[in-house]
Amino acid sequence: MSVAAVDARAPNRTYASLILQRFLKHRMGVLGAVVVILLCFSALFAQFLAPHDPLLINTSKRFLPPFTSWDFPLGTDDLGRDTLSRLLFGGQVSLMVGVVAMLATMVTGTLVGLAAGYYGGVVDNLLMRLVDTLLCFPQVFLLLVIAAFVPPTILSISLIIGLTSWMEVSRIVRAQVSTIKEMDYVQASRGYGASNWRIMLVELMPNILAPVLVAATLKVATAVLMESYISFLGYGVQPPMASWGNMLTNAQGYFDTVPFLAILPGILITLTVMGFNFLGDGLRDAFDARLKMDL
């Protein structure tokens, strides 16, 4: 049974349950959801799960290897700070940057795509040429140029990442809106005198939520990776605050002798990116009525 087979008059609960059933059939999507939930849980409750203050320095405990001490289960860094505690609190920062950057990306990209797809003509041409121009520049280059002139805070880094990665979202939304705006219910709303913004936000927006939701999950992964890039290069979250990216930066001088300092945050970044990507793939397949899935 496919989504297309669901009666249009069926309650939303039926449609939602069908989407959930389709998603649960996607094994990698479920695995991604489990990974994301565990990472978010550990970040939200870091203050309860962390065995030590992540900023507490103890030079007598420098470079303890993992799994050799009950007090420091994942070892310590070059200043004797607990690695597990810094990973947990670093996850708070990295995931917060990812979520805030995703929101900035989705709001900007959706508004631009809505305007371009709905109005068409000159508005569409101008906005899409702007998108094409911005896509000519590598995102990392734009990030570094802007970050060099903006004081590095969690909010500023999040907004910089979000405002340099909305272009693909705008293209997705524009393509959807260009098709949907010609449907009868949109024409009927226009005939009843609804304003353009009401049509875009009330009539069109709910019908493009599926691809926007999928793009949102993928953008969280991209934002976490971008934060790691710029933190690794020294333009991101500044010490002593921990993020997975600046933990990698601090570990690069000790990679030959104490590799676990780089391996552990690297593993968490990889798991986060893979988790959100698998989750996005699962949601995309669950919302795609053209895919045949045994329910």
Side-chain angles (χ1 to χ4, degrees), residues 23-254:
F23 178 78
L24 293 176
K25 292 291 184 180
H26 195 289
R27 294 180 181 178
M28 299 308 294
V30 173
L31 176 62
V34 171
V35 170
V36 168
I37 290 171
L38 290 175
L39 289 170
C40 291
F41 177 85
S42 65
L44 286 172
F45 298 99
Q47 61 267 35
F48 304 108
L49 298 174
H52 299 281
D53 183 341
L55 303 181
L56 180 63
I57 295 174
N58 186 352
T59 54
S60 65
K61 301 289 187 180
R62 298 174 70 235
F63 297 127
L64 288 180
F67 312 118
T68 59
S69 169
W70 287 107
D71 289 336
F72 303 98
L74 293 184
T76 58
D77 64 7
D78 57 317
L79 296 177
R81 297 173 295 191
D82 180 48
T83 302
L84 175 58
S85 300
R86 290 183 65 76
L87 287 172
L88 290 170
F89 279 90
Q92 278 189 340
V93 173
S94 294
L95 291 174
M96 186 184 302
V97 169
V99 171
V100 175
M102 177 272 291
L103 292 175
T105 297
M106 302 315 295
V107 170
T108 306
T110 300
L111 290 177
V112 171
L114 274 173
Y118 181 77
Y119 288 107
V122 176
V123 174
D124 183 27
N125 287 330
L126 289 175
L127 291 176
M128 288 301 102
R129 296 300 76 75
L130 173 62
V131 169
D132 293 339
T133 302
L134 292 175
L135 286 174
C136 292
F137 298 95
Q139 186 181 358
V140 175
F141 173 75
L142 289 174
L143 282 173
L144 294 178
V145 170
I146 298 173
F149 297 98
V150 177
T153 65
I154 294 177
L155 180 60
S156 66
I157 293 168
S158 303
L159 292 178
I160 289 171
I161 294 173
L163 296 177
T164 56
S165 58
W166 54 268
M167 291 76 76
E168 295 88 350
V169 176
S170 68
R171 284 183 163 182
I172 294 172
V173 173
R174 172 188 175 272
Q176 295 287 322
V177 171
S178 297
T179 301
I180 297 174
K181 72 176 183 179
E182 302 300 332
M183 292 187 173
D184 292 341
Y185 70 91
V186 178
Q187 299 299 328
S189 297
R190 187 179 292 111
Y192 280 114
S195 65
N196 289 330
W197 279 106
R198 177 178 174 79
I199 293 173
M200 285 190 282
L201 297 179
V202 177
E203 304 294 343
L204 298 179
M205 189 63 198
N207 290 282
I208 61 172
L209 281 180
V212 169
L213 180 61
V214 173
T217 59
L218 301 177
K219 285 301 178 181
V220 174
T222 302
V224 170
L225 203 56
M226 290 295 106
E227 184 274 330
S228 302
Y229 287 162
I230 61 175
S231 290
F232 182 78
L233 295 173
Y235 290 98
V237 177
Q238 299 299 303
M241 183 181 292
S243 77
W244 293 335
N246 67 21
M247 289 181 72
L248 282 174
T249 303
N250 296 336
Q252 63 181 331
Y254 308 101

Side-chain angles (χ1 to χ4, degrees), residues 3 15 19 22 209-211 213-214 282-289:
V3 175
Y15 178 75
I19 295 299
R22 290 171 62 85
L209 281 180
L213 180 61
V214 173
L283 290 174
R284 180 193 60 205
D285 292 349
F287 279 109
D288 193 344

